Amino acid sequence: MSAEIDPFHAIAVSRLAHRMSAEGRSVIHMEFGQPSTGAPAAAIATAQHVLATDGMGYWESMPLKARIARHYDEAYGVAIDPEQVVLTCGASPAFVLALSCLFAPGDRVAFARPGYVAYRNTVKALHLEPVEIGCGEAERFQITAAAIERLDPAPHGLILASPANPTGTIIAADELAAIVAVCRRRGIRIVSDEIYHGLSYVGPARSVLQEDPDALIINSFSKYFSMAAWRLGWLVVPPALIDAARARMGNLFLTPPSLAQHAGLVAFDCRDELEGHVRAYARNRDLLLAALPALGLKRIAPPDGAFYIWADIGHLTDDSMDFCTRLLADTGVATAPGIDFDPVEGRRFMRFSFAVSTDRVEEALRRIGPWFAAQVGVGAGAAGLN
């Protein structure tokens, strides 16, 4: 029953970064997709009150489930029953629930490459067969309906992410509709990771629920709501899978933290503060897009949303792990090696997270500028991506 799981290399980079910090070095953390801001102020105040007045325990907040259901109506024009919302301990358990509800060992599940490292490894851990769809510059590093149509045989499932990690690319509305149509015709079930919804710089991303009421939707308070450490997420399931999802949640994870559920309910209505974070990310994105080409990083995936820059460093290295480790050791700027997200081409890519404060981005650019200038081959990259 053992499954071969690959390491998460960015964690090794982060360990080195924290060791450097403990030794007194100044480190800028751009290796994880983790907002440097905290939970909204009103959510924190609510949590403090609950801590002082409520012993808490195992709990599933019906008000929070109802608020999430209302969110789908307000944001996407989609009506769901609150009972279709399963509260989870972040997006990762939601992903386990979704895959285990839909698929049996040996089933084939497709997803984009590059893509979030845990897609591949969770699929393998559940004894499913990963089917990686290579997505490059021509496809804007995103899955297309044509690519799904070409898969033979058709996979049992498809994982979508829009905005995507590590690229930030968003699937256009017409392409998303075409993907859903192909999946419906070929009997492919969709799991949509929508954890970066709300973080878009080219207009709002569409939910797959707008096209497919039978899709399973994953989301979390970790990104837009800036509550990564609170470990709170949710899974939207079709009515036929409510019992299966609840049974898995109860047996595998019990309930999410009660304190986080109280805070999450309040966080939903802190939009002014949260949209301020998005404006800061947009400034950070603009700074990086303006500065990185001068460092030789001219091939960059279009960061439509999320808070990542996926950059081609193939003119500088064919070992992104070594490259990111040296960059950290020499400059104190921690980044993520591309091999986490793409085991085939990732050796020549790196990912910057700009979920930090703008002054940290500015300082990071001051530090890495001379370092990149000293690397052999700077300026030899090809023209930027469209």
Side-chain angles (χ1 to χ4, degrees):
M1 290 296 292
S2 62
E4 187 115 0
I5 303 299
D6 300 320
F8 197 158
H9 294 90
I11 293 176
V13 173
S14 189
R15 281 200 300 266
L16 174 59
H18 284 286
R19 187 161 66 245
M20 290 170 58
S21 294
E23 294 169 354
R25 292 279 304 276
S26 171
V27 172
I28 299 174
H29 290 278
M30 303 178 77
E31 74 271 35
F32 288 147
Q34 175 173 287
S36 60
T37 50
I44 293 173
T46 295
Q48 290 170 333
H49 174 74
V50 170
L51 276 173
T53 60
D54 187 345
M56 293 180 286
Y58 300 130
W59 181 53
E60 183 182 42
S61 170
M62 288 307 299
L64 179 55
K65 288 159 65 80
R67 183 63 185 86
I68 291 170
R70 178 157 68 92
H71 165 70
Y72 281 91
D73 183 35
E74 294 171 345
Y76 307 110
V78 173
I80 62 171
D81 190 298
E83 284 303 311
Q84 291 178 246
V85 178
V86 180
L87 300 177
T88 62
C89 310
S92 297
F95 190 49
V96 171
L97 298 186
L99 294 178
S100 63
C101 282
L102 285 176
F103 308 118
D107 284 354
R108 302 169 71 249
V109 179
F111 48 88
R113 175 176 54 76
Y116 179 44
V117 60
Y119 297 157
R120 181 184 317 108
N121 284 326
T122 306
V123 164
K124 292 196 296 186
L126 293 174
H127 300 281
L128 306 171
E129 181 182 342
V131 178
E132 297 190 85
I133 302 173
C135 303
E137 176 181 351
E139 300 84 19
R140 300 180 75 255
F141 297 92
Q142 266 289 6
I143 285 175
T144 64
I148 300 164
E149 188 74 75
R150 288 193 296 268
L151 293 177
D152 185 21
H156 298 85
L158 174 69
I159 300 166
L160 291 178
S162 175
N165 177 8
T167 61
T169 52
I170 290 176
I171 301 173
D174 57 347
E175 187 66 38
L176 186 65
I179 289 170
V180 170
V182 171
C183 288
R184 183 179 296 117
R185 181 168 49 78
R186 303 193 75 191
I188 302 168
R189 296 299 299 267
I190 297 176
V191 176
S192 181
D193 181 356
E194 300 182 359
I195 193 172
Y196 295 102
H197 275 219
L199 303 175
S200 174
Y201 316 105
V202 295
R206 286 180 65 80
S207 172
V208 172
L209 273 185
Q210 294 171 273
E211 306 290 344
D212 181 7
D214 291 325
L216 277 68
I217 310 298
I218 294 167
N219 210 324
S220 168
F221 284 82
S222 294
K223 309 301 182 182
Y224 175 78
F225 293 96
S226 196
M227 295 175 65
W230 297 73
R231 307 316 305 137
L232 181 63
W234 70 86
L235 174 67
V236 178
V237 299
L241 290 177
I242 291 173
D243 289 344
R246 289 181 62 83
R248 284 160 174 78
M249 181 62 199
N251 281 282
L252 296 176
F253 307 107
L254 291 176
T255 65
S258 294
L259 187 66
Q261 295 181 67
H262 285 289
L265 178 60
V266 175
F268 250 107
D269 295 312
C270 296
R271 296 290 171 165
D272 289 346
E273 184 175 348
L274 296 170
E275 287 300 312
H277 297 168
V278 177
R279 289 191 292 273
Y281 301 148
R283 290 193 295 272
N284 296 348
R285 171 183 178 268
D286 291 345
L287 281 170
L288 287 166
L289 289 178
L292 292 180
L295 306 185
L297 303 186
K298 299 179 180 181
R299 298 177 62 86
I300 293 171
D304 303 324
F307 31 54
Y308 302 119
I309 297 287
W310 179 245
D312 189 336
I313 52 174
H315 60 296
L316 301 174
T317 186
D318 63 357
D319 186 345
S320 59
M321 183 65 184
D322 173 73
F323 189 87
C324 291
T325 301
R326 289 190 292 110
L327 176 64
L328 171 59
D330 292 346
T331 70
V333 177
T335 56
I339 53 173
D340 272 333
F341 311 98
D342 186 340
V344 178
E345 300 291 341
R347 67 191 183 280
R348 63 182 186 89
F349 283 87
M350 67 185 299
R351 189 196 72 179
F352 296 86
S353 168
F354 52 86
V356 295
S357 61
T358 299
D359 66 310
R360 295 279 79 191
V361 172
E362 292 170 338
E363 174 61 20
L365 288 170
R366 282 192 289 270
R367 293 185 189 186
I368 69 176
W371 191 88
F372 270 87
Q375 306 305 300
V376 175
V378 164
L385 304 181
N386 296 318

